[in-house]
Amino acid sequence: MVLELCLWGADLEEGPSLPGEVLSKTSFYGRFRHFLDIIDPRTLFVTERRLREAVQLLEDYKHGTLHPGVTNEQLWSAQKIKQAILHPDTNEKIFMPFRMSGYIPFGTPIVVGLLLPNQTLASTVFWQWLNQSHNACVNYANRNATKPSPASKFIQGYLGAVISAVSIAVGLNVLVQKANKFTPATRLLVQRFVPFPAVASANICNVVLMRYGELEEGIDVLDADGNLVGSSRIAARHALLETALTRVVLPMPILVLPPIVMSMLEKTALLQARPRLLLPVQSLVCLAAFGLALPLAISLFPQMSEIETSQLEPEIARATSSRTVVYNKGL
């Protein structure tokens, strides 16, 4: 059985499970609770000293050398800090704006910009470019890093995602503007929904292009004891498909719910009398939608995904007696 720490995307060789409630890796609720910890923005303010202490505490637990009096809560807190800050494959710090815990605070202003009404061509291009730039860096920072990825792959993915997002968004805006059958109010409402198909399709391009090297070289798959079995292109394909699906689901509540909510709130006497409140209210609505959508989307699949060896390359199946192996899907 894969160790509990592995279920949460930590290294397979971490050691025994932490004491406390065991949540199955197949449980959506268990993953949801875990990722609520991972996206906790308070971890952005953890000091370097606190991070070192957390890592050392987990190392002591791994080797059975914990000091007396260390509580389960301290162990879980240490694991939360480590997993929110360090990459599970490299154990290197992820740059703050590109951590999952930084996704909401750094991404919400971009979402607000994407949903601003009466967008010009220049503003549409700018916000789509900024959004995909942020997404590209998040995808790269949270990729499966068991294989080196050259800078050329990053540039290729970045350019592909930005070009696709801008092209789709501008094309849809032009179509809406030329739709003479729409009333001005309907046209404005439809324009507010344009960012979703643009962002969703660009997100798929972004993930695939940013991580295309995994499809070419494969990703490491490990047995239940944490031993390296081999490198699998099929597992890489599964990893990218699962990640791409989360990137389609993620913007759905963020870019669909706020336009619906704002179209109703804008008719209230308060906002009609105080139009300056529109932007702050929209920002709060986007923040709430983002906070709900992110843990739901990334909880769809385990970060450490399991696959039967019979579905992988013959050389992988021959290399292990395990019926299943696991791989880091990435986030």
Side-chain angles (χ1 to χ4, degrees):
M1 179 178 179
V2 181
L3 301 175
E4 178 65 10
L5 279 173
C6 306
L7 306 187
W8 302 146
D11 299 293
L12 280 165
E13 299 179 8
E14 282 284 353
S17 310
L18 290 183
E21 183 182 10
V22 177
L23 296 171
S24 171
K25 67 177 178 179
T26 59
S27 163
F28 175 82
Y29 177 66
R31 294 195 297 271
F32 181 76
R33 283 189 57 180
H34 163 64
F35 283 119
L36 283 178
D37 277 344
I38 296 299
I39 69 170
D40 187 345
R42 290 176 298 179
T43 60
L44 295 173
F45 303 101
V46 171
T47 63
E48 187 72 30
R49 178 181 176 182
R50 180 70 185 95
L51 175 61
R52 288 197 302 269
E53 291 174 350
V55 172
Q56 186 59 52
L57 190 64
L58 293 174
E59 284 294 312
D60 291 344
Y61 177 75
K62 172 183 173 181
H63 296 105
T65 58
L66 274 180
H67 297 293
V70 175
T71 64
N72 293 348
E73 289 74 17
Q74 287 175 300
L75 289 171
W76 283 112
S77 176
Q79 180 172 278
K80 171 181 176 177
I81 290 171
K82 179 182 178 182
Q83 293 179 344
I85 298 175
L86 302 182
H87 193 285
D89 291 332
T90 64
N91 277 323
E92 295 178 355
K93 287 180 67 175
I94 299 173
F95 187 45
M96 187 184 295
F98 309 141
R99 299 173 194 166
M100 281 299 162
S101 56
Y103 210 172
I104 294 175
F106 288 96
T108 298
I110 299 174
V111 172
V112 174
L114 285 169
L115 295 175
L116 289 174
N118 301 315
Q119 295 263 19
T120 63
L121 177 61
S123 64
T124 298
V125 171
F126 172 76
W127 288 112
Q128 289 290 345
W129 164 76
L130 188 59
N131 181 55
Q132 290 306 320
S133 296
H134 184 235
N135 285 344
C137 293
V138 170
N139 288 335
Y140 185 80
N142 294 278
R143 71 196 186 283
N144 179 300
T146 55
K147 294 287 189 298
S149 180
S152 60
K153 296 293 182 183
F154 175 85
I155 296 172
Q156 179 186 8
Y158 172 75
L159 292 176
V162 170
I163 292 172
S164 63
V166 171
S167 300
I168 294 169
V170 171
L172 289 175
N173 270 318
V174 170
L175 287 176
V176 171
Q177 290 292 345
K178 291 184 176 180
N180 298 324
K181 294 181 180 180
F182 291 153
T183 64
T186 302
R187 184 180 291 112
L188 179 61
L189 182 62
V190 171
Q191 278 183 307
R192 284 183 164 179
F193 288 97
V194 165
F196 172 67
V199 169
S201 56
N203 282 354
I204 296 175
C205 295
N206 200 319
V207 169
V208 173
L209 293 173
M210 291 299 299
R211 297 175 56 179
Y212 187 75
E214 296 174 28
L215 292 175
E216 292 181 324
E217 300 181 17
I219 58 176
D220 289 350
V221 293
L222 310 168
D223 64 19
D225 297 319
N227 300 312
L228 176 64
V229 176
S231 186
S232 170
R233 293 187 180 90
I234 296 176
R237 193 161 62 238
H238 280 261
L240 263 65
L241 176 61
E242 292 172 352
T243 306
L245 286 174
T246 66
R247 292 302 193 271
V248 173
V249 173
L250 175 60
M252 197 177 296
I254 301 172
L255 299 177
V256 173
L257 288 180
I260 296 174
V261 173
M262 288 306 299
S263 65
M264 294 185 292
L265 292 179
E266 287 169 357
K267 298 174 183 177
T268 62
L270 175 65
L271 291 184
Q272 287 186 346
R274 298 174 176 83
R276 291 184 178 180
L277 292 178
L278 279 172
L279 186 58
V281 170
Q282 179 167 319
S283 300
L284 290 175
V285 171
C286 290
L287 181 63
F290 211 155
L292 171 67
L294 182 58
L296 287 175
I298 60 179
S299 299
L300 290 176
F301 305 99
Q303 182 172 357
M304 297 303 295
S305 293
E306 190 174 45
I307 188 171
E308 293 186 0
T309 53
S310 59
Q311 299 179 32
L312 300 178
E313 295 87 344
E315 59 270 22
I316 298 292
R318 290 194 300 267
T320 179
S321 58
S322 297
R323 189 177 63 84
T324 61
V325 291
V326 295
Y327 57 89
N328 177 17
K329 170 184 69 67
L331 289 176

